[in-house]
Amino acid sequence: MSRARPMSSSTEAGGAPWAADAPEAVHERQTFGMWLFLFSEVLFFSGLFLLYLAYRSRHPDGFRAGAAGMQVALGTANTLVLLTGSAAAAVAVADLEGGRTGRSALLQAATALLGLVFLGVKALEWRADILAGFYPGAAAMAGRSHGEQLFCSLYFMMTGVHGLHVLAGTALFGASLRRTLAGRVRPGHGIFLENTGLFWHLVDVVWIYLWPLLYLVR
Amino acid sequence: MSGTGDVGTGEARAASVRSLLLVWSALLALAVLSWLAWREGLWERASEGALAIATAKAGLVAAYFMRLRTEGRSLRLLLLLLAAIVALLFGLTMLDVAWR
C-alpha cells in the first residue's frame, strides 16, 4: 500500500477498484468497523435490558407500582423527538450523497437540536422525579417495596446511560456539521456523517425499547 | 495518507428521501398507536403487543435508516450471529431466573 498515493480515487489514477486502499474498500472497512462498535453497544445495552427483565420477573408488583408514577407524556414526547431526529439524520445522509450539501447541513443541525430537546425533556422529567422523592437512596424510597426500589434504580441507570449516548450523538452531529460547513464532509466524502448517523439510529433503537418497558407496560 | 475511504457512488445505496419520510411517518404512527393502546389499558392485559410494536419500529429504523437492506452479506451474517448471541444470553438467563 503506497502512502505516496494521492488522495484522489485510486481508480481514477488507474488503480484496481479491488485494491486494499481503493476508496470503495476503505469505505467498506470503515463502515464495517462502525458496525462492530455498534454490536458492542448492543451487547452492553442487552445486559441492562436483561437486568431489567430478570428483576421484573421476580418483582412484578413492585415494578408495576414503580412504573405507575412514570410521566408517560414526557416519555412519549421524547419518543417522537428521537424518531424525528433519526429521520432527519437519515435524510441528511441521503441529501449529502445526492449533492444537496446545504440541506444536509441544516438537517444535521436539526438532529443535534433534537438531541438537545431530548436531553432537556429528560432533565425536566428527572427533576420532577427527584422533587417527588423518587430517586435511588431517597428517604421516601425506604418505605417502598424492594421491587419499587429496584425499578427506580434501573430507571435512572438505564435512562442515564442512554442520555449519555444521546449527548455523545449530539456532539458528534455538531462535529459533523462543523466539518460539513468546512467542506471536509461533502458528497463522496461522507463517511463521518454516515457513521455518526449509524450511532444515532442505534441510540434511537435503544429508546424504542426503553419507552414501552419503562413507561407503558404495567 | 491513503484514500479516505469515501466513494462517489453513494447514490447507489442512498434511499430516496421520499421513502425515508414514509418510514418516518410509519414510525410516528406506530408510536401513536402504542400510546393509544396504553391509554386504553391494553398493555395491562397484553404487554407483548407493546414490545411487538417496538420491534417493528426497530426493524424499520435498522432496515431503512441504518440501510441494513442494502448492506453486504458479511455484515448481515454478523448481525445474525449477534442476534443469536443476544437470544442465547436472554434465554439462558431468564431460564436461570425462572428456576430459582
Side-chain angles (χ1 to χ4, degrees):
Chain A
M1 182 167 57
S2 166
R3 288 192 174 275
R5 195 186 296 267
M7 286 183 67
S8 59
S9 167
S10 63
T11 53
E12 292 167 0
W18 57 82
D21 61 346
E24 295 85 357
V26 176
H27 183 274
E28 190 177 334
R29 284 202 301 272
Q30 289 176 330
T31 302
F32 198 78
M34 186 63 193
W35 274 104
L36 285 179
F37 168 67
L38 294 184
F39 289 165
S40 74
E41 290 279 87
V42 167
L43 288 173
F44 168 70
F45 277 105
S46 291
L48 293 179
F49 279 109
L50 192 53
L51 200 61
Y52 170 91
L53 288 173
Y55 277 125
R56 185 192 168 94
S57 71
R58 302 297 293 270
H59 305 275
D61 293 335
F63 270 59
R64 193 173 298 117
M70 299 304 292
Q71 299 174 69
V72 178
L74 291 181
T76 305
N78 261 352
T79 299
L80 300 178
V81 165
L82 269 192
L83 289 177
T84 304
S86 215
V91 176
V93 172
D95 275 345
L96 188 75
E97 290 171 341
R100 298 175 292 275
T101 309
R103 199 168 82 174
S104 176
L106 273 173
L107 287 169
Q108 291 176 50
T111 306
L113 187 64
L114 287 167
L116 291 175
V117 169
F118 179 93
L119 292 170
V121 172
K122 179 51 65 181
L124 282 175
E125 200 179 343
W126 274 26
R127 180 178 177 274
D129 290 330
I130 290 167
L131 288 176
F134 183 77
Y135 60 92
M141 293 302 297
R144 299 203 192 186
S145 68
H146 188 47
E148 282 179 272
Q149 293 176 29
L150 282 169
F151 177 86
C152 177
S153 295
L154 282 167
Y155 161 72
F156 276 95
M157 181 172 63
M158 294 175 82
T159 58
V161 167
H162 177 263
L164 284 175
H165 282 74
V166 172
L167 183 63
T170 302
L172 282 171
F173 266 102
S176 179
L177 174 63
R178 195 172 66 244
R179 290 181 184 210
T180 303
L181 295 175
R184 287 157 60 197
V185 168
R186 59 186 189 275
H189 296 77
I191 191 66
F192 189 92
L193 173 61
E194 289 177 40
N195 284 347
T196 298
L198 285 176
F199 179 79
W200 188 258
H201 297 315
L202 181 70
V203 171
D204 187 23
V205 168
V206 171
W207 182 260
I208 281 172
Y209 282 101
L210 276 180
W211 179 50
L213 285 176
L214 294 177
Y215 293 86
L216 303 185
V217 173
R218 292 286 184 266
Chain B
M1 185 164 62
S2 56
T4 59
D6 297 309
V7 296
T9 56
E11 292 85 357
R13 295 174 50 241
S16 70
V17 171
R18 185 170 174 273
S19 64
L20 292 174
L21 292 177
L22 277 173
V23 170
W24 175 51
S25 304
L27 289 170
L28 293 182
L30 286 171
V32 168
L33 178 68
S34 217
W35 176 78
L36 284 172
W38 167 80
R39 208 177 65 161
E40 295 303 315
L42 187 66
W43 301 144
E44 293 182 28
R45 298 183 293 277
S47 58
E48 297 82 4
L51 294 178
I53 291 180
T55 301
K57 283 155 60 185
L60 284 172
V61 171
Y64 288 91
F65 290 172
M66 301 178 87
R67 301 182 173 182
L68 275 178
R69 286 169 65 243
T70 53
E71 285 294 346
R73 203 170 71 131
S74 56
L75 185 60
R76 292 196 209 183
L77 283 174
L78 203 61
L79 185 64
L80 208 59
L81 177 64
L82 176 72
I85 290 171
V86 171
L88 203 63
L89 182 67
F90 273 73
L92 290 177
T93 303
M94 295 311 291
L95 201 63
D96 180 45
V97 169
W99 275 99
R100 284 176 185 270

